[in-house]
Amino acid sequence: MFKRKPGAAGDGFARILANTGWLLGGKGVGAVLSLAYLAIVTRTLGVVDFGRFALVLSAANVIKTLVSFDSWQIVVRYGQPHLAEDRGDALNRLLRFCILIDLASALAGGVIAAAIILLFGDALGLGAHMGWPVWLFCMVMMITIRSSPTGVLRLFDRFDSAAFAETMIPVGRMVGALVAWIFMPDVTGFLIGWGAAELLCAASYWYLALRVGGKRVGRWRAGRTLDALRENPGIVGFLTATNLQTSLTSIGQQVAVLIVGGFVGPAGAGLYRLANQLANSLTKISSLLSRSIFVELSRTTTHGREALNDLFRRTNRLALAAGAVIVGLILIIGHPLLGLIAGREFMPAYPLLLMLGVAACIELVGVSYRPLLMATDRAGLSLRISIVATLLLLGLQAALLPLYGTQGAAMANIAASLAGFAMMGIASRRALREG
């Protein structure tokens, strides 16, 4: 149907490497700073209070993920035709529609957070004096949803600007951790620091997005916002699928901490959270590659099946090499890194770090599967696979936690990651065969 453009896959792969490099540079700064502020928080709060802090962060992140939409994918997926054909006003209506979705998400998130604090505050280990600070922190998390400006920067291939804005999170947390350590060394103090970092990051994203977009994103009063529904067929289905899929991913990441806390208490949740955060820090390249790959696969679908196959194979080889390197790093530096950051009190988290690191690396090896399904209009299939993998994770956690404690939860992550990897791989190869 389409004629292959010479070098289309090669050019796309080069852009993936360049864009991932920008993102990785920003995350590299964040990874170094995260080790420092994690050391401050864990050593200041101790196991039990850090567990409470982890439960609050996990609850806020779960709510934010459940109600928010990956609107950056909508901006990239549906904005490219408008940009290519110089339809700036249509692009602006699409962007305004995404902003409207983000604002509605923030409102819904605030209501859900209030309900959770009122109904389950005691189960989360929150005292009467913690209710308002926790709700305000959750509201800050809601209003700093920054998916729309992220989409603008990625649409215009400004991954460098996005990387700079993203570094405001670790920089803000580092400053906030130091201030809290000196003036308010308790859970509330660190929540204030984390909230300030979110505000700083959101402000940076919007400033850079508006500066990069300029007049190319059209007029802000051109037409009605809801006209975007008519101008972008299929947007509602795509929007729903991306939201549900992101929510299910969050269940595997954040809800696991809450489940562990319910079974073994705040101390166990704190150990699990620390191990999970360290494992994710070492495998951060997975999410970075996924973002770059989706943008390029969306472009390459117009160049024909051969170009798409070529780009898909290259990204798979890159992900496999990265996964092997990271498993080696976890085995070599995992134990001393854990002791250096958190101290002897947190050393029981090392087996969890190993198992969660392996699970994260399995997902890294299959990092190109989901972007391929999304870029080839198979978001519904990707969603169904995510549902099955998440149900398997929750079922295994319910079965293994009573038997093996926190290590059982980590085992469940490995099994669910393997199942998701196999199902996504089969679906992706079938999508390439069908064209």
Side-chain angles (χ1 to χ4, degrees), residues 105-433:
S105 299
L107 180 61
V111 174
I112 294 173
I116 289 177
I117 292 169
L118 288 173
L119 297 175
F120 305 106
D122 292 338
L124 293 173
L126 305 177
H129 64 290
M130 286 290 294
W132 275 108
V134 171
W135 185 79
L136 289 173
F137 174 75
C138 289
M139 282 307 303
V140 169
M141 293 288 286
M142 297 305 112
I143 64 174
T144 54
I145 294 173
R146 46 192 174 271
S147 194
S148 296
T150 301
V152 173
L153 293 176
R154 291 174 185 170
L155 178 65
F156 289 103
D157 271 330
R158 292 305 304 268
F159 280 74
D160 53 343
S161 296
F164 173 79
E166 198 66 31
T167 59
M168 294 301 103
I169 287 282
V171 169
R173 286 181 179 177
M174 186 70 231
V175 174
L178 288 171
V179 172
W181 178 49
I182 296 171
F183 297 104
M184 193 183 292
D186 55 21
V187 174
T188 301
F190 286 109
L191 287 178
I192 293 173
W194 262 235
E198 294 288 337
L199 289 169
L200 178 62
C201 181
S204 301
Y205 261 111
W206 274 114
Y207 171 75
L208 291 170
L210 293 175
R211 191 177 71 172
V212 167
K215 294 181 178 179
R216 290 180 291 177
V217 296
R219 297 170 297 162
W220 288 91
R221 294 187 178 182
R224 298 185 309 144
T225 300
L226 294 181
D227 286 345
L229 293 171
R230 174 179 51 81
E231 295 169 337
N232 302 278
I235 190 174
V236 174
F238 188 88
L239 184 72
T240 304
T242 55
N243 170 256
L244 292 175
Q245 197 154 270
T246 303
S247 300
L248 290 169
T249 302
S250 174
I251 288 174
Q253 295 291 327
Q254 304 293 342
V255 173
V257 180
L258 302 179
I259 294 174
V260 170
F263 271 93
V264 297
L271 293 175
Y272 187 92
R273 167 82 183 192
L274 177 64
N276 192 49
Q277 191 159 349
L278 287 175
N280 286 337
S281 295
L282 292 172
T283 56
K284 209 67 172 180
I285 191 174
S286 177
S287 61
L288 305 183
L289 271 172
S290 179
R291 298 168 193 174
S292 309
I293 289 170
F294 174 73
V295 174
E296 293 306 322
L297 286 176
S298 295
R299 289 195 179 112
T300 310
T301 52
T302 63
H303 298 158
R305 185 187 302 178
E306 189 179 348
L308 192 63
N309 268 286
D310 192 5
L311 181 59
F312 181 69
R313 285 194 298 269
R314 294 187 188 203
T315 55
N316 278 343
R317 288 195 291 267
L318 176 63
L320 181 61
V325 170
I326 291 171
V327 167
L329 285 174
I330 293 175
L331 290 172
I332 295 170
I333 69 172
H335 193 273
L337 184 65
L338 184 62
L340 176 66
I341 293 171
R344 295 174 59 86
E345 192 179 14
F346 284 84
M347 291 310 292
Y350 178 64
L352 303 177
L353 173 61
L354 286 178
M355 288 186 282
L356 293 173
V358 169
C361 284
I362 292 170
E363 295 181 5
L364 168 59
V365 173
V367 70
S368 58
Y369 295 159
R370 182 170 296 166
L372 175 72
L373 295 177
M374 302 294 285
T376 55
D377 291 329
R378 290 172 173 82
L381 176 59
S382 178
L383 172 61
R384 291 193 293 274
I385 294 173
S386 296
I387 291 173
V388 172
T390 303
L391 291 175
L392 178 62
L393 171 64
L394 296 178
L396 288 173
Q397 282 190 332
L400 296 177
L401 261 168
L403 298 175
Y404 303 105
T406 52
Q407 292 191 21
M411 294 175 196
N413 272 269
I414 294 177
S417 295
L418 282 171
F421 173 81
M423 290 185 289
M424 284 286 187
I426 293 170
S428 297
R429 283 168 176 78
R430 182 177 297 170
L432 288 174
R433 286 197 305 269

